Amino acid sequence: MVDTIGGGGGWPLNGLPVGLGMALAAHQSALDNYSKLTEAEKEKIIAESHNVKSREEMDTIINSLM
């Protein structure tokens, strides 16, 4: 099971895998852009983050949002 942050509510990191949430929290512009995505686009990013095996792979996802 993947750890997630929170479970709902208005905060944009709720329900995200921890690694993705931490990476977004460290990059305000990526977080801002993530919050503007459609639900389908967010689900795609979340699915990609489940396969991340290194910081470099997470950085690639984050950089795609900036």
Side-chain angles (χ1 to χ4, degrees):
M1 183 171 112
V2 175
D3 289 332
T4 61
I5 299 173
W11 196 52
L13 300 182
N14 283 343
L16 291 181
V18 172
L20 178 59
M22 290 175 61
L24 286 171
H27 298 88
Q28 187 63 47
S29 63
L31 177 59
D32 291 343
N33 291 332
Y34 176 83
S35 69
K36 296 174 187 173
L37 296 176
T38 65
E39 288 304 311
E41 292 168 327
K42 289 177 183 176
E43 289 298 324
K44 182 176 183 253
I45 297 292
I46 291 168
E48 290 175 8
S49 75
H50 287 301
N51 297 317
V52 166
K53 303 277 190 271
S54 69
R55 180 181 178 135
E56 290 78 20
E57 291 177 8
M58 185 61 74
D59 287 345
T60 299
I61 292 172
I62 296 302
N63 289 336
S64 76
L65 293 167
M66 297 196 309

